[in-house]
Amino acid sequence: MAGLCAAAHARELGATPVVYEKGTRAGGSMLLSSCVIWRFREWDDFRAECPTGDEQLQRSVWERLDDGIAWLESLGAPVVKHETGNPRTVGKRFDPRGLTETLVAAARDVRLGETTSDPTILATGGFQGDTELVGEHIHPGGALRLRANPWSAGDGMRLGLERGAELSSGLDEFYGRNMPDADFTEEQFVPFAQLYGRTARVFNERGEEFFGGEVSWSENDLVQATAQQPGARAWYLLDDEALKDRDVAERVARAPTRTEPDDLPFTAPSGTRVGVRVKPGITHTIGGLRIDEHARVAESLYAAGADVGGISTGGYASGLAAALVFGRIAAESALSSL
Ligand SMILES: Cc1cc2nc3c(=O)[nH]c(=O)nc-3n(C[C@H](O)[C@H](O)[C@H](O)COP(=O)(O)OP(=O)(O)OC[C@H]3O[C@@H](n4cnc5c(N)ncnc54)[C@H](O)[C@@H]3O)c2cc1C
């Protein structure tokens, strides 16, 4: 997302950028996403939801997102819905394939299967694809499953550090979904997400109910707490009341790890109808390279997207929004420094 936005914007500013895309297709995780590009409706909500994020960077995303979305529409990117469906947020849902095609057409020179050791803008999508880096910074209680494109493996972070960049806060944080603890495909990233932790009772493998307090609306707090449990696993236990919700019942039915109460590794509380063994699917890292408000990470080097850390720290905010806003800012900064 960020690299394509930067290149498309640089083109309209008169430059001739090249997008080096390590993968076999353009679009990265954006192409696999639900493609809702959003911000909190109220500024205070953004601060409250992501309290340890850099306020100046958050301000840029919050103030420039609507303009960024209008820009995507002006390029011809197809909108599927003109609202997010969440009263606390505003934004639009795009068709991910249509958005990718629009941005590739606007960026023009996108070279698949290529990388460069001398980039101007780092936009490699975070380090979730590198198990060692995830282990070093996030310290999960076991290996996490990847719920993202397979190529975002910290290349931007490594290169930035070599060039003198600093790291942001929140390196131990990530955004993800608890998924059935079984193999799944890219097409199953969205329908397999077990997004009903707040209606379940949640236990770890030892039978300990480990999550205190209320689960947040994004459930990202529960996902991160799950990552810290033995084996980075949890059990969602559901009773009749929880299963009354059709969406919950359907997600449970799709989960290959649903388990009868008698087959759980611990004694289930009475009333449990079914258990589902879950494990976090890591979608993107939240910590990364530190940038200033001009998306600058080091001398003549810029970054955008999930390579950048410290924006949604302490909570969760739209990764696509940050990629769109800072992709465009990075293009402007890189060109004005020439
Ligand atoms: C299932 C799913 C649902 C999601 N839903 C939403 C949603 O609704 N709303 C939202 O805001 N976010 C959502 N996201 C997250 C969103 O997709 C990311 O936050 C966003 O794509 C990050 O943008 P990016 O440019 O940093 O990374 P990407 O879009 O992943 O792009 C990074 C690109 O860099 C390439 N790359 C990696 N290393 C190199 C290298 N060395 N050289 C060249 N290229 C390289 C990768 O192949 C990739 O194409 C979702 C993600 C997934 C997987």
Side-chain angles (χ1 to χ4, degrees):
M1 174 71 162
L4 290 174
C5 289
H9 191 39
R11 276 275 165 202
E12 66 190 7
L13 296 174
T16 51
V18 177
V19 178
Y20 292 94
E21 169 51 64
K22 182 181 176 185
T24 51
R25 54 168 170 73
S29 291
M30 173 186 69
L31 180 66
L32 311 172
S33 79
S34 307
C35 224
V36 184
I37 308 182
W38 59 271
R39 63 172 172 83
F40 289 98
R41 189 180 293 276
E42 305 298 336
W43 164 248
D44 288 347
D45 264 4
F46 195 174
R47 289 298 300 150
E49 292 271 350
C50 304
T52 46
D54 182 306
E55 188 168 346
Q56 201 173 21
L57 302 182
Q58 292 179 342
R59 229 340 139 183
S60 296
V61 175
W62 197 78
E63 286 177 354
R64 293 189 53 160
L65 183 65
D66 299 357
D67 184 49
I69 289 177
W71 173 73
L72 291 178
E73 288 189 85
S74 76
L75 294 176
V79 175
V80 177
K81 267 198 182 147
H82 289 269
E83 22 82 22
T84 62
N86 178 346
R88 302 186 69 189
T89 64
V90 289
K92 297 198 179 189
R93 183 186 204 119
F94 287 83
D95 170 58
R97 187 158 298 280
L99 177 57
T100 302
E101 285 167 2
T102 301
L103 286 173
V104 167
R108 285 195 230 163
D109 194 353
V110 180
R111 302 186 186 175
L112 298 183
E114 290 188 36
T115 62
T116 175
S117 57
D118 190 23
T120 308
I121 299 174
L122 300 168
T124 71
F127 63 83
Q128 59 279 356
D130 185 306
T131 316
E132 264 183 40
L133 281 178
V134 169
E136 182 186 336
H137 293 294
I138 294 174
H139 313 294
L144 305 179
R145 292 180 184 275
L146 186 64
R147 182 179 177 264
N149 84 74
W151 302 291
S152 294
D155 296 350
M157 189 161 115
R158 280 189 212 90
L159 204 143
L161 290 173
E162 277 167 28
R163 298 263 295 262
E166 288 178 19
L167 293 174
S168 73
S169 62
L171 278 168
D172 56 346
E173 296 180 33
F174 69 94
Y175 165 64
R177 292 274 186 241
N178 271 343
M179 304 290 284
D181 183 18
D183 290 346
F184 45 80
T185 63
E186 286 182 348
E187 290 70 34
Q188 291 167 329
F189 282 177
V190 175
F192 266 35
Q194 301 297 292
L195 188 56
Y196 53 81
R198 71 181 83 80
T199 67
R201 287 186 68 178
V202 186
F203 293 76
N204 66 17
E205 288 193 326
R206 297 191 196 124
E208 299 158 342
E209 209 162 8
F210 63 86
F211 193 83
E214 210 173 303
V215 178
S216 71
W217 64 274
S218 70
E219 302 204 356
N220 205 41
D221 46 0
L222 176 57
V223 176
Q224 294 190 83
T226 304
Q228 304 306 322
Q229 300 309 305
R233 289 196 184 91
W235 286 91
Y236 284 178
L237 305 190
L238 295 122
D239 59 16
D240 285 332
E241 189 57 33
L243 291 166
K244 270 188 198 157
D245 183 318
R246 239 174 88 187
D247 180 58
V248 173
E250 281 171 14
R251 283 181 188 271
V252 170
R254 274 197 293 269
T257 54
R258 66 186 177 282
T259 302
E260 294 296 318
D262 288 346
D263 296 332
L264 292 168
F266 51 87
T267 307
S270 68
T272 302
R273 288 282 163 256
V274 65
V276 178
R277 198 179 71 239
V278 297
K279 188 184 247 292
I282 183 168
T283 304
H284 62 75
T285 39
I286 284 180
L289 297 171
R290 185 195 297 273
I291 56 167
D292 64 16
E293 72 271 30
H294 306 295
R296 186 177 171 279
V297 282
E299 188 63 34
S300 304
L301 188 65
Y302 304 86
D307 279 352
V308 169
I311 297 178
S312 58
T313 320
Y316 167 62
S318 169
L320 292 170
L324 166 59
V325 167
F326 278 106
R328 295 178 79 213
I329 291 176
E332 289 161 15
S333 301
L335 289 172
S336 67
S337 73
L338 292 177

